[in-house]
Amino acid sequence: MTQQHKHIISMLVEDEPGVMTRISGLFARRGFNIDTITVGKTQTPKVSKIVITVKGDDRTVEQIEKQVNKLVDVFKTIEMKDDESVTRELCLVKVSLSNEKAKTDIMHYAQVYKAPIVDITPKSAIIQLVGKPQKNDAFLELMKPYGIKDISRTGTTAIQRGGNGEK
Amino acid sequence: MKGSEAIVKTLIGSGVHTTFGFPGGAVIPLFDEFLRFEGKIKNILVRHEQGAAHAADGYARASGKPGICIATSGPGATNLVTGIMTAYMDSSPIIAFGGQVSMSLIGNDAFQEADMMGITLPITKHSFQIKKANDVVPTILKAFRISAEGRPGPVYIDLPKDCQVGEVTKEAPKKVDIPSFKPVYRGNINQIKKAADMILAAERPVVIAGGGTIIANAAKEVTVLMDTFMIPTATTIMGKGIIPEDHPLAIGQVGMHGRKAANYAVINADLVMAVGCRFSDRITGNTSSYAEKAKVIHIDIDAAEIGKNIEVDVPIVGDSKSVLSDLIVVMNEKLKKKTETEWSKRMKELNQLCRCNMDSKKEPIEPKKLLFELNRILKTDDIVVTGVGQHQMFATHFIDRMKPRTFITSGGAGTMGFGLPAAMGAKVAVPDTNVFDIDGDGSFLMNIQELATLKEENIKVIPVVFNNSYLGMVRQWLEIYYSKRYSQVKLGRHSDFVKIAEAFGLGGIRVEKPAKIQDALKESIRSKETMVLDVYVEPESNILPMLPPGGHLKEAFGGCMNAKGVFF
């Protein structure tokens, strides 16, 4: 069996109700697992962009791209290769502030990660991370010993580097 | 103009003269318009919405044009689902209209409300919910394009009642643009040149022609490859009829119940060129050992089919007809006519060995004998539609068809009950042709209510029922793989299809003796009305050869005795 990798697929779609259902329905029916999915408007009216991350071997991902491309509402799909694109994820994490040392440590780590603290109470702080998912993972790992109370992640979005537009 | 009038006018403007449908609360405004447009368009009142969907499908497959079916909201529309899925699996262009409760009621669990957009999502090429009367015309125009262009398929249109009674205030467009829908027809010429070189260099080439060749009307091109370039040509069930099956190099059907010659060719070929075929599990058996000695060229209009099941050496995305005609031009530049090779000679020989004697005087009637008699009487243009089951595989195996669109069967879906309504739809599409429904007693009974439609609408088809009081295909599996533990396959006493036909005001003939088959067929063909032939056949016949599911093609067993020992 070929190797399973994480792939990021970006799709330009018609901004119609039901498009997300069609895409997620297609993934479910064909047995593809969605890791994350994000969606938003683009510079073109009535065109939205959906970015999906999936795990699979190259053949599976090729099949996903082809199947998605067949959907009438989809204009274009592009696989976002790591070295040719910028990928980011927003993550909000709520951490316990159990004692003074924890508080100092956490604020220090947040500073190193250039992650603002967006809310704070005597018992907890919410830290906002924006970065590659791997970087966010690493920060969350650091927070574990202090007690993570809640996490909200947007999932990965991505854009091609340089002159490679998608229009 | 009301939305409903706009719908009917758009249908008429798109060349529709017949629809298949069944009324209900949510489509009353729509059907009301049919009275006003009498003479220009007609709805055939089926007796079950499933019948409407299959009839539209039969119409589409016989004519190549989209077939239209209409049902009311809720249960009416859900009854279309099996038919929509059947059309989807075999890439048949139908447009299914389902009524819907008014927009203001959607989501309220209103009477006869069902989420048809959700239900049909995975079994349609595309679907639309009309949200206002002004959207009616552009949506229908889009549906016609989407269902028929590229790889055809069903389109579902959800039609809320208020959009039917609402006023259309905008001028209707003549044509619609669908920016995200641009099917590719021409194949990449470099790929085609590569394919041409490979074919000409191959010692043991074989072509597999699938349903895509029929959809693309590529009969001429496939036949040239076989005839001029001496390439043995096999078909899938969906490709049956693309080449004249009496040609010595037409080596028959591949796959689970394939002719041994065809499977032999695939196993031993050094080049397999599949055209408009999707390498389904019923064609390949075990994919990892499939055509292991061969390089594979795969031509399909749907890029997603290429590389899905089988790894391919030369992929060509495009319409079968366009790609093959380009291919033939390239091949002609290099070689005018190929002469007989050892391989083509060998394949002709093996093919001949597989064509066994079908005549038999045995009683009860052997299924192959019934098809033997049918073959004698079938004209080239006659259309054969089938149900699903053992009789279907007997028919694909033993009936010869010479032209595309003369063999219509539910291949991918395997939908029992397809035969009778699909035959009705085919007859409406091609009224001057004899349309046979080769059916099994189990399958026939599943949509038997359409006999009433045939009677009332005076549509004449020729149902030939293989009556063996068994669900024959499952019985065969139980005999072979479950040491004859016949669970849930015995239908008990023979259903009396003659009496059933009579109850619907039609005629029927019981046939129990081999000698009587020909007369009965002739009588049913002569009859002005549909006349059901209820033929008692040997209950425990098996359709062979047969490949164990997932097995290597060479594991296919049984079949014509003449071929024993020669093959594997």
Side-chain angles (χ1 to χ4, degrees), chain A residues 22 29 59 63 66 70 72 75, chain B residues 127 180 302-304 306-307:
Chain A
R22 283 181 208 280
R29 179 166 68 96
R59 196 167 152 186
Q63 184 56 209
K66 285 172 165 179
K70 269 166 67 171
V72 172
F75 291 99
Chain B
S127 52
S180 52
D302 180 356
I306 298 179

Side-chain angles (χ1 to χ4, degrees), chain B residues 211-232:
Chain B
T213 57
I214 290 185
I215 292 165
N217 297 318
K220 199 179 86 195
E221 290 74 12
V222 179
T223 310
V224 166
L225 282 176
M226 172 176 72
D227 214 35
T228 315
F229 292 96
M230 298 271 176
I231 307 175

Side-chain angles (χ1 to χ4, degrees), chain A residues 82-94:
Chain A
D82 213 24
D83 46 352
E84 294 164 8
S85 52
V86 178
T87 58
R88 288 293 181 269
E89 179 202 41
L90 167 66
C91 170
L92 297 170
V93 54
K94 193 186 285 178

Side-chain angles (χ1 to χ4, degrees), chain B residues 266-280:
Chain B
V266 172
I267 294 166
N268 291 292
D270 61 352
L271 179 80
V272 170
M273 180 164 80
V275 193
C277 126
R278 60 191 175 87
F279 288 119
S280 88

Side-chain angles (χ1 to χ4, degrees), chain B residues 76-90:
Chain B
T78 58
N79 276 345
L80 294 175
V81 167
T82 303
I84 295 174
M85 173 264 194
T86 305
Y88 182 70
M89 292 297 279
D90 290 343

